[in-house]
């Protein structure tokens, strides 16, 4: 079993629960709304399974390339959290990469997962991704830079996907409404 299995399952549960929450809210606000769309809940769960796996590796890649902390000039076994120095330049680089390449990748995964079934061909799917990716990224920049900053400073790399999934619960409610708009 993968070392990321727990994060992946948590992500799938949180993403599908967010979609279900959005649908229930939509239904409670509009009695004429269609019944629950279980296909959409499953699409969000699949999105969670795929995106979390990619994100686990993405977070490890970023941390390996740009460590958040460097230890003081003491033996590693005696270095405590208070003796580590934050590497602000690395934090900046990680946020920059995460909020450009990372957001593009994660949101493309979302759009493919939620539009794959209704697309008649790969070209139709790609046209839909191209049409929706930039508005999605622009909205994401209202939420995710702050989450990334907190994650890179205070959260160990192995817990970052879970933290992002928890913050993402609200974001995924937004995404569910985003997909309800045709």
């Amino acid at each position: 079993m993968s070392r990321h299995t727990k994060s992946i399952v948590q992500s799938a549960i949180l993403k599908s629960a967010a979609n279900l929450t959005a649908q229930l809210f939509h239904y409670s606000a509009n009695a004429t709304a269609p019944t629950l769309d279980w296909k959409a809940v499953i699409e969000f769960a699949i999105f969670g399974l795929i995106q979390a796996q990619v994100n686990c590796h993405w977070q490890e890649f970023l941390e390996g390339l740009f460590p958040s902390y460097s230890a003081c000039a003491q033996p590693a076994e005696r270095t405590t959290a208070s003796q580590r120095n934050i590497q602000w330049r690395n934090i900046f680089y990680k946020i920059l990469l995460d909020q450009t390449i990372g957001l593009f990748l994660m949101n493309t995964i979302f759009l493919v997962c939620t539009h794959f079934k209704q697309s008649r061909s790969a070209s139709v799917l790609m046209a839909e991704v191209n049409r929706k990716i930039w508005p999605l990224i622009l909205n994401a920049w209202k939420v995710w830079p702050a989450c990334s900053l907190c994650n890179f400073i205070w959260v160990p790399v192995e817990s970052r996907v879970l933290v992002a999934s928890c913050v993402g619960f609200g974001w995924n409610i937004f995404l569910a409404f985003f997909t309800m708009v045709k």
Side-chain angles (χ1 to χ4, degrees):
M1 195 175 284
S2 166
R3 70 181 187 277
H4 303 302
T5 301
K6 185 176 175 181
S7 294
I8 293 166
V9 170
Q10 290 166 335
S11 175
I13 290 168
L14 285 167
K15 284 176 179 22
S16 58
N19 181 276
L20 191 57
T21 301
Q23 288 191 58
L24 290 171
F25 179 78
H26 183 66
Y27 186 74
S28 71
N30 181 5
T32 62
T35 58
L36 292 177
D37 181 359
W38 290 104
K39 181 181 87 61
V41 174
I42 292 169
E43 287 173 350
F44 269 66
I46 292 168
F47 164 55
L49 293 171
I50 296 169
Q51 184 266 346
Q53 180 72 33
V54 172
N55 201 8
C56 286
H57 294 290
W58 175 249
Q59 294 301 322
E60 290 171 350
F61 169 76
L62 289 175
E63 191 63 28
L65 201 55
F66 302 109
S68 294
Y69 291 91
S70 67
C72 294
Q74 295 184 15
E77 63 272 10
R78 293 189 304 148
T79 302
T80 64
S82 63
Q83 294 171 318
R84 299 182 311 166
N85 295 321
I86 193 160
Q87 298 298 304
W88 289 107
R89 180 178 292 162
N90 288 355
I91 299 291
F92 172 77
Y93 291 148
K94 283 194 288 195
I95 290 172
L96 182 67
L97 290 172
D98 196 47
Q99 297 306 300
T100 54
I101 297 168
L103 271 182
F104 184 83
L105 179 62
M106 302 309 162
N107 285 303
T108 299
I109 292 169
F110 165 73
L111 292 170
V112 169
C113 287
T114 57
H115 291 85
F116 181 78
K117 195 82 164 157
Q118 65 259 31
S119 296
R120 295 177 304 281
S121 67
S123 62
V124 171
L125 178 61
M126 291 312 301
E128 192 66 13
V129 168
N130 287 333
R131 186 174 74 80
K132 291 187 173 181
I133 192 70
W134 297 114
L136 195 53
I137 288 174
L138 291 173
N139 280 302
W141 283 337
K142 298 172 185 173
V143 175
W144 291 108
C147 179
S148 291
L149 177 65
C150 294
N151 242 351
F152 294 143
I153 293 174
W154 294 302
V155 180
V157 69
E158 63 274 2
S159 299
R160 289 180 185 160
V161 172
L162 175 59
V163 170
S165 291
C166 289
V167 171
F169 183 82
W171 174 248
N172 284 289
I173 290 173
F174 165 78
L175 290 178
F177 283 118
F178 187 81
T179 60
M180 288 180 202
V181 176
K182 299 298 177 197

